[in-house]
């Protein structure tokens, strides 16, 4: 059995200590409460402070939880709410389309799949929750890159790998793809990430009308495309689903 990393355990204990009881604690209080030498406690606090997890009051020298923890907490709550709100709508979309449905969010310069509804047939399928998709070639990634400034920057700064002959990698061409995505309100991936696979995605907005994630339907090209183009009724269904989830999240009319 693998051993726990002691420094991480101590850092976690400090965060829990600062999260309860008094709002701010001094170095001596933290060290004594956790039975640590002052030097050890100070080193861990300094690292946590550099990462934004802990803040030090300039006047008193006492420590408190930092803004980065709040940001991470809000991100977790947003994604949790997104998935909860999307459950019924994505199930309905999978049934009506007959294809797999994915819910994705921006994460570490890619798209993290946070919910996956299987194609409603008897075929053998693998749950892809936790899998990553590329920003520049997947339909989910294009939608996030088109509507989220952070995703846009990360897609441009990251090396855009050519997965198939159809993958768009040049910065100018990629910007044109994003312009088209914004103009029509949805993104596509026809054999740009995987041979024989096509996908259409639409953005989900939160109550602040900010892009929180995206929903996509994915399937074999011969099922989801007609004459090389995505089926119009499939595009409409994905957009309707994304609008419904957005409304449930308080975005109003989108």
């Amino acid at each position: 059995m693998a051993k726990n990393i002691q420094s991480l355990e101590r850092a976690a204990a400090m965060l829990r200590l600062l999260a309860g009881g008094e709002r701010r604690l001094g170095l001596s209080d933290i060290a004594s409460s956790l039975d640590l030498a002052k030097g050890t406690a100070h080193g861990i606090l300094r690292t946590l402070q550099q990462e934004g997890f802990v803040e030090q009051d300039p006047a008193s020298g006492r420590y408190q939880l930092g803004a980065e923890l709040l940001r991470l907490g809000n991100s977790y709550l947003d994604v949790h709410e997104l998935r909860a709100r999307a459950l019924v709508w994505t199930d309905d979309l999978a049934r009506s389309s007959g294809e797999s449905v994915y819910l994705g969010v921006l994460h570490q310069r890619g798209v993290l799949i946070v919910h996956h509804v299987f194609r409603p047939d008897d075929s053998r399928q693998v749950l892809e929750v936790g899998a990553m998709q590329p920003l520049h070639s997947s339909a989910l990634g294009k939608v996030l890159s088109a509507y989220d400034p952070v995703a846009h920057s990360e897609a441009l700064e990251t090396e855009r790998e050519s997965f198939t002959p159809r993958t768009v990698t040049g910065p100018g061409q990629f910007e044109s793809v994003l312009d088209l995505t914004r103009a029509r309100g949805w993104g596509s991936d026809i054999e740009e990430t995987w041979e024989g696979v096509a996908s259409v995605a639409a953005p989900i907005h939160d109550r602040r009308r900010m892009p929180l994630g995206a929903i996509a339907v994915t399937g074999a090209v011969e099922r989801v495309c007609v004459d090389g183009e995505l089926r119009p009724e499939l595009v409409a269904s994905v957009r309707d689903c994304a609008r419904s989830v957005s409304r449930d999240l308080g975005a109003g009319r989108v």
Side-chain angles (χ1 to χ4, degrees):
M1 183 175 177
K3 293 182 179 179
N4 293 342
I5 300 174
Q6 189 179 56
S7 59
L8 292 180
E9 289 183 328
R10 289 171 171 176
M14 282 186 186
L15 294 175
R16 293 192 187 97
L17 180 64
L18 291 169
E22 296 183 28
R23 180 174 173 79
R24 292 173 179 163
L25 293 172
L27 174 60
S28 296
D29 299 324
I30 295 171
S32 61
S33 296
L34 299 178
D35 195 24
L36 295 174
K38 278 189 178 182
T40 302
H42 184 256
I44 297 173
L45 284 167
R46 187 172 64 248
T47 301
L48 291 173
Q49 186 177 358
Q50 289 172 348
E51 295 298 325
F53 296 141
V54 164
E55 295 174 356
Q56 186 178 28
D57 179 60
S60 66
R62 290 174 171 265
Y63 294 90
Q64 65 182 27
L65 293 180
E68 181 66 9
L69 276 179
L70 178 62
R71 187 188 71 80
L72 291 175
N74 285 340
S75 175
Y76 169 78
L77 291 174
D78 284 347
V79 171
H80 181 73
E81 184 179 8
L82 169 63
R83 186 178 180 279
R85 297 287 185 177
L87 287 176
V88 174
W89 298 109
T90 50
D91 283 349
D92 288 345
L93 180 59
R95 278 193 295 270
S96 64
S97 67
E99 301 294 343
S100 300
V101 176
Y102 296 89
L103 181 65
V105 298
L106 176 65
H107 180 68
Q108 293 182 350
R109 299 195 170 189
V111 182
L112 174 67
I113 303 303
V114 296
H115 184 51
H116 173 201
V117 184
F118 282 168
R119 185 174 62 255
D121 60 21
D122 295 329
S123 62
R124 187 167 181 263
Q125 300 173 64
V126 177
L127 186 66
E128 294 188 41
V129 172
M132 296 289 290
Q133 293 188 7
L135 283 172
H136 69 285
S137 63
S138 68
L140 289 168
K142 292 176 188 176
V143 165
L144 292 176
S145 298
Y147 288 92
D148 186 334
V150 175
H152 179 238
S153 297
E154 293 188 348
L156 288 176
E157 293 169 2
T158 304
E159 181 181 356
R160 291 174 296 281
E161 182 179 350
S162 182
F163 299 109
T164 77
R166 290 173 172 263
T167 308
V168 173
T169 58
Q173 291 176 303
F174 183 62
E175 288 288 10
S176 296
V177 168
L178 298 188
D179 288 341
L180 177 61
T181 300
R182 283 186 289 266
R184 62 190 183 183
W186 53 276
S188 66
D189 168 9
I190 302 177
E191 297 189 281
E192 294 179 53
T193 308
W194 302 280
E195 296 277 4
V197 177
S199 181
V200 56
I204 297 170
H205 296 86
D206 64 13
R207 59 184 62 88
R208 297 158 295 183
R209 300 188 66 80
M210 295 295 291
L212 182 58
I215 284 177
V217 161
T218 300
V221 171
E222 60 268 21
R223 293 197 305 267
V224 302
C225 292
V226 176
D227 297 327
E229 299 291 335
L230 288 157
R231 287 165 34 207
E233 68 273 19
L234 190 61
V235 174
S237 295
V238 173
R239 296 190 71 189
D240 286 345
C241 180
R243 290 192 191 104
S244 297
V245 177
S246 297
R247 283 195 294 270
D248 275 3
L249 288 164
R253 190 180 179 88
V254 292

